[in-house]
Amino acid sequence: MTSDSRVRRTALLALFFLSGVSGLIYQIAWVRQSVFTFGVSVYAYSTVIGAYMIGLALGSYAMGRRIDAHARPLRTYAALEVGIAALAALSPFLLGALHALYPGLSNALPAGGFWLTLGRLVLSLAVLTPTTFLIGATLPVMSRIYATHGGRVGSDVGRLYLVNTAGAALGCVLTGLVFLRYLGARETVFLGAAINLFVGAGALALVRLAPARRPSGGDGAASEAGAALGRGDGATGAATAPGPAAGALPISAGALRYVAIAYAISGFIALGYEVVWARILYIHSSHAAYSFSLMLTVFLAGLALGGAGGSWVLRRRRATLRHFGAIQLAIGVLAVLILHAFARLPGLHLEDWFGGYTVAYEFLIAFVTLFPPSVLLGVLFPVVGSLYTRERAQAVGLRIGRVNAFNTLGAIAGSLGAGFVLVPLLGLRNTTVALAVLNLALGAAALRFDRGGRRALRFAPAGAIVATILAVAVLPTGFYLGSYYTEVDRLIFYKEGVETTVAVLEVPEDNYKISFVNGRDEVPTDRASMSAFRLLGHLPPLLRPGARNALVLSFGNGIATGTMNTHDIPVIDAVDLSPEMMEAAAVYSEENYDVLDSDRLRLHVEDGRNFLLRTEESYDIISVDATHPANASSWALFTSEFYQLIESRLAPDGIFMQWIPIHGVREDDYRDILRTVWDIFPNMVLWSTGSTHSYVVATREPMSSVVMQSVLTRAAANPIVVRDLGPPEAIAGYVAMAEADLTGYIGRGPVITDNDAFFMPAR
C-alpha cells in the first residue's frame, strides 16, 4: 500500500469518526427537544428513539442495495453528509412546529396510550426520518469506499465500526456534559450540522485528490461489483464471480441466513440489556440530565473497543461461526454475572470515595458494570461483517447495509420489547436472565453450524449453561435492583414497571415510611416532610376558597393530594408518570387520608407537561408537588415555557403553587428558577416549612395583608388544618419572603428557557 493510499484511508477514518460525533449529538439533542412536545415519559422517549432507529435501518438497507453500482461512491458520501447537515439544521424548527400541531392531533385520537404513542411515532417519523435515513446510509457507502480488498473486509468494516462508534461516544459525553449546558439544545444541533458540513467538504477534497479510476480494486471496484450484482450475487450472497475471490470464506447459504437472523436477534438482546442496565444503574446515580449520557458513553466506548479488538484479530485469522458462537456464550454468562456486580455496589460505598454522586463516580460505576459486556457486543460487528460478506469486496455495500439494517430493526424491537413488555412482565432480574438465555441459544446454534470447529467446543454450550444456572441460583432477591437499601424485612411494597421501579419501606416502631423510585428516596414521612406535603395540600384551597377544580402535577403517593381533598374540591385531577407510585399510595392510606377512595379524584398516568399541553380545561388551583430540577425527568418543569403553560391553564382568579427544593440545587440555579416564575407571575410569595422545602405561591393579583389574614382565619376554623399545620401563627411563620423582599433577593438576571435549561446537582 502506497503512502498516498495510507493517508487517504486515514482521512476516511477521520471523516467517519466525526460523522459518529454528529450522529450522537443529534440523538441526544432531539430527545431533549422532543420533551417539549411529547413529554418526558418513557413512551415519548421510546417513540423518538424508535423513529431515529427506523430511519437508520431504512437508510442502511436502501443505500446498501444501490451503492455497489456507483462509480464514485465518495461523491455520494459527501452528498449524504451535506444532506444530513441541511436537514438537521431544519430539525429544531420542525420540532417546534410539532408543538403547535401535537395538542390538536393527540386530542383527536381515540383515548388510550396506544393511540397517543402511535401519534407521537408518526410525528417523530415525519421530522426525524429524512435525516436519520441519510445517517443510516453512510455506513454501507463508507464500507463500499473503504473495504475494497478481498480477504480484509471484516477487518476493514471493523475499523469503520470502531472509529464511528468512538466518535459517537465522544459526541455523547460532550453533548451531555458540555454542549447542552453551555450552548443550548438548538445551538448543539447547529454544531452537529457544522460537523457534517466539514465532513462533506473533506470527502469532496478527497475526491479531487484521488479521482475515480477504471481499474478494479480501490475506489474503482464498481465494475467488478456491478458485474456481480448483475449476475445476482448481491441478492443471494453466492460467490458467482469467475473463480474464488482471494481470501473468500467458504460459508454455506444456510449459515449466511443464520448469521443475518442471529445478528438481528443480537440487536434485540443488546438494546434489551441497555434498557435493563440503565434502569438498574439509575439507583446508583444522581439521575441528573447527564446521567444517561454517561451510561451511553461507556456503552459506546465498550462497543468501540470491541470493534477494535475484533478488527485486530481478523487481520490475523479468519472469522468463523465458532467465534460468533463463543462470543454469544460469553455475553450470556457475563450478563448474569453483572447482576452480581450490581448486587454488591451498595456495600462498596464507592460514592464516599468521590464525595457523593459526582460525574467521576457515575462514570466509574457505569464502567465497572457496562464496559465488559459492551466490549463483547462490539466484537460481534467485525465478525459478522467478515462472515456475511465472505471477505469478498464485491457487493460489500449491499451486504453491510443489509446486515446492519437487520441488527437495527432487532435493536428497535429490543428497546420497545424490554421496556414495555419484558420488564413489567418478568422484572429486571428475570428479563436479564431471559436475554442471557437467548445469547446461549444463539451461541449453541452457531457452534452446531460450524462443523469444522474443534471437538472441545462442542461442550462449550453445556458449560456456559451450567455456569449461568449456578450464577442465577446464587443471586439475591430482585429487590436490590430497585433500591439502594437492602432491608427486605422492611419492605411493604415493591413493583417494577415500564417507567419506574418502586419500593416502599416501613419502620413501624418509628411510624415512618419512605419510597424509593428508581433508587431515589421520595415521600418520607418524617415530620419536616409531612409538614411540606400538608402545606402544599392545604394552602392553595385556603387562598382560593370554593375552588371548582384543582390540578396536581406529580401525585407521588398522594399525601399532598389527599390533604387538598379534605377541602371538598369537586374535581381534583392528579397526574404522575408512574402508575406504580399510584399503586403504592395504598400503603400510605393513613398519610394521604385514603385519597384513592375519593370519587372526586381523577388519576392520569402521564407527565405533567404533556398533560398541560393536551388539556383544554381551566383550573382554579394548579399545584406542582415534589419534583427536583436536577432530576432527568423533572427539569422541564422549571422553564419559562412551562410556566407559560401553567398561566394559560390557570383560571383568572386561580392559585399556582410549586415546591422548589433548597437541597441539591446551586444558589444561582435557585435564583434563576424564582426569577423565571416571577417573569410570568409577578405577584409571588415565597413560603418555607424549614429544612430544605420552599414553595412559590403565585396569583394574578397581589396577595395583600387582607388576603393573608383571611387565610389565617379560615385555617383557624378548620380542625384538620390546625392538626396538620398548627395554629394560625405557626402558618404565618411559614412565609419566607413577601413580594418586595423576594424581588430584591431574585435580582436581575436570565430566565430559564427550554433551550438552555441545565441543572447541575449541587454537592
Side-chain angles (χ1 to χ4, degrees):
M1 184 183 298
T2 66
S3 60
D4 287 346
S5 179
R6 290 193 186 94
V7 170
R8 183 171 183 270
R9 287 170 65 82
T10 301
L12 290 172
L13 292 176
L15 293 177
F16 209 44
F17 173 85
L18 291 174
S19 185
V21 172
S22 67
L24 259 292
I25 285 176
Y26 296 142
Q27 179 175 330
I28 294 175
W30 283 338
V31 168
R32 182 180 176 89
Q33 289 181 307
S34 298
V35 163
F36 312 137
T37 298
F38 300 138
V40 297
S41 71
V42 69
Y43 299 97
Y45 173 85
S46 296
T47 52
V48 173
I49 293 298
Y52 184 96
M53 298 181 73
I54 287 171
L56 295 183
L58 292 174
S60 182
Y61 185 81
M63 185 56 72
R65 298 182 63 186
R66 294 168 172 79
I67 191 58
D68 293 299
H70 287 215
R72 295 178 180 267
L74 196 51
R75 288 186 180 274
T76 302
Y77 181 77
L80 288 173
E81 292 288 346
V82 173
I84 292 168
L87 292 175
L90 290 174
S91 64
F93 306 103
L94 296 175
L95 288 169
L98 289 187
H99 198 71
L101 179 64
Y102 171 71
L105 177 62
S106 60
N107 288 326
L109 294 171
F114 169 79
W115 293 105
L116 182 57
T117 298
L118 181 62
R120 288 168 173 156
L121 179 61
V122 170
L123 293 175
S124 300
L125 285 170
V127 172
L128 303 184
T129 299
T131 311
T132 57
F133 180 92
L134 298 184
I135 294 173
T138 59
L139 177 60
V141 174
M142 187 57 84
S143 298
R144 160 73 174 81
I145 297 166
Y146 191 81
T148 55
H149 298 279
R152 271 189 2 204
V153 173
S155 176
D156 283 347
V157 297
R159 281 190 171 188
L160 292 177
Y161 181 79
L162 158 65
V163 299
N164 193 252
T165 308
L170 181 62
C172 184
V173 70
L174 288 177
T175 303
L177 290 176
V178 180
F179 297 155
L180 289 176
R181 182 180 181 185
Y182 294 107
L183 298 180
R186 182 175 55 250
E187 290 77 12
T188 295
V189 172
F190 295 158
L191 174 62
I195 292 173
N196 285 117
L197 283 176
F198 178 83
V199 172
L204 288 176
L206 288 179
V207 170
R208 295 188 181 94
L209 291 174
R213 295 172 294 175
R214 284 294 178 184
S216 62
D219 203 26
S223 58
E224 179 185 358
L229 285 168
R231 289 189 295 272
D233 178 61
T236 65
T240 57
L249 298 180
I251 301 176
S252 67
L256 280 178
R257 284 193 294 271
Y258 168 76
V259 168
I261 295 171
Y263 197 47
I265 298 173
S266 292
F268 176 93
I269 296 169
L271 264 290
Y273 283 142
E274 185 180 326
V275 168
V276 172
W277 292 336
R279 283 281 299 275
I280 300 172
L281 274 174
Y282 269 152
I283 77 168
H284 304 281
S285 75
S286 62
H287 203 191
Y290 57 75
S291 295
F292 180 75
S293 293
L294 287 178
M295 297 176 199
L296 185 57
T297 297
V298 171
F299 189 77
L300 291 170
L303 295 181
L305 183 61
S311 179
W312 183 84
V313 170
L314 292 180
R315 284 190 171 275
R316 288 154 179 81
R317 62 179 64 185
R318 287 186 171 190
T320 64
L321 277 171
R322 63 178 174 272
H323 292 136
F324 181 85
I327 294 167
Q328 293 287 351
L329 294 176
I331 293 171
V333 175
L334 188 56
V336 176
L337 295 179
I338 290 299
L339 292 178
H340 287 275
F342 284 128
R344 283 156 180 77
L345 274 179
L348 296 177
H349 298 289
L350 295 177
E351 72 279 5
D352 294 339
W353 300 3
F354 295 88
Y357 293 90
T358 63
V359 171
Y361 160 72
E362 294 193 27
F363 183 85
L364 174 65
I365 61 170
F367 184 84
V368 169
T369 53
L370 296 190
F371 194 72
S374 64
V375 169
L376 290 178
L377 290 168
V379 176
L380 284 176
F381 183 78
V383 171
V384 168
S386 176
L387 293 173
Y388 199 67
T389 61
R390 288 175 162 173
E391 286 294 342
R392 298 182 61 183
Q394 296 103 316
V396 66
L398 171 66
R399 294 183 179 282
I400 294 300
R402 178 185 293 172
V403 77
N404 185 61
F406 291 164
N407 181 259
T408 304
L409 290 174
I412 296 169
S415 177
L416 299 178
F420 295 151
V421 181
L422 294 180
V423 170
L425 187 65
L426 302 177
L428 294 166
R429 177 179 182 270
N430 292 336
T431 296
T432 302
V433 173
L435 294 172
V437 169
L438 283 178
N439 281 128
L440 298 178
L442 290 179
L447 293 179
R448 284 187 62 85
F449 269 110
D450 189 54
R451 298 179 180 178
R454 300 174 183 175
R455 294 178 62 86
L457 286 176
R458 295 179 183 178
F459 301 100
I465 291 171
V466 170
T468 302
I469 291 174
L470 291 175
V472 171
V474 296
L475 276 172
T477 62
F479 171 60
Y480 72 92
L481 299 177
S483 173
Y484 194 84
Y485 298 94
T486 55
E487 296 92 338
V488 180
D489 58 318
R490 304 289 191 183
L491 188 68
I492 59 173
F493 180 90
Y494 184 82
K495 189 165 185 180
E496 297 170 0
V498 172
E499 189 87 42
T500 50
T501 300
V502 178
V504 182
L505 278 68
E506 182 180 31
V507 184
E509 58 270 26
D510 296 332
N511 193 28
Y512 178 75
K513 299 187 184 83
I514 187 170
S515 293
F516 292 90
V517 184
N518 290 337
R520 302 272 65 80
D521 53 318
E522 297 186 13
V523 201
T525 59
D526 60 278
R527 184 174 180 178
S529 298
M530 289 300 295
S531 295
F533 292 129
R534 296 305 187 201
L535 184 69
L536 197 55
H538 281 309
L539 187 56
L542 291 173
L543 283 165
R544 179 61 173 84
R548 300 170 296 107
N549 57 6
L551 171 63
V552 177
L553 303 181
S554 185
F555 174 77
N557 290 140
I559 298 176
T561 306
T563 302
M564 187 180 294
N565 190 53
T566 64
H567 291 264
D568 296 328
I569 300 171
V571 174
I572 300 179
D573 284 313
V575 181
D576 201 280
L577 277 169
S578 172
E580 293 75 34
M581 282 293 281
M582 294 176 176
E583 291 182 44
V587 302
Y588 281 86
S589 58
E590 180 181 352
E591 292 81 4
N592 62 33
Y593 299 134
D594 294 307
V595 68
L596 292 180
D597 296 330
S598 173
D599 57 5
R600 299 193 297 269
L601 178 68
R602 300 189 303 198
L603 292 174
H604 307 268
V605 180
E606 197 169 355
D607 71 275
R609 183 153 178 162
N610 198 244
F611 181 87
L612 283 171
L613 190 64
R614 299 195 309 112
T615 188
E616 297 177 354
E617 289 198 44
S618 176
Y619 291 93
D620 291 333
I621 294 171
I622 298 180
S623 171
V624 183
D625 204 341
T627 57
H628 201 287
N631 191 301
S633 61
S634 302
W635 61 268
L637 302 183
F638 297 88
T639 71
S640 179
E641 289 84 353
F642 170 71
Y643 295 125
Q644 290 173 34
L645 265 176
I646 291 284
E647 198 276 338
S648 69
R649 301 293 182 257
L650 193 64
D653 55 350
I655 299 292
F656 166 56
M657 184 172 182
Q658 182 177 23
W659 177 83
I660 299 179
I662 300 172
H663 69 286
V665 180
R666 296 176 305 171
E667 187 171 6
D668 286 347
D669 285 340
Y670 183 76
R671 290 176 188 265
D672 288 346
I673 291 171
L674 295 180
R675 189 182 305 111
T676 303
V677 180
W678 181 82
D679 187 60
I680 305 299
F681 295 99
N683 301 305
M684 186 175 80
V685 175
L686 186 69
W687 293 64
S688 174
T689 54
S691 184
T692 61
H693 306 290
S694 72
Y695 321 79
V696 290
V697 180
T699 59
R700 288 194 172 86
E701 297 295 329
M703 283 174 274
S704 65
S705 58
V706 175
V707 172
M708 294 303 299
Q709 185 58 49
S710 64
V711 167
L712 299 179
T713 301
R714 283 189 288 270
N718 189 320
I720 298 178
V721 175
V722 173
R723 183 187 64 196
D724 288 343
L725 297 177
E729 57 269 20
I731 299 174
Y734 291 147
V735 177
M737 290 188 195
E739 294 177 16
D741 295 333
L742 185 57
T743 303
Y745 174 73
I746 292 172
R748 295 182 179 274
V751 298
I752 301 165
T753 68
D754 285 347
N755 188 60
D756 57 29
F758 195 96
F759 302 103
M760 289 288 288
R763 294 169 59 183

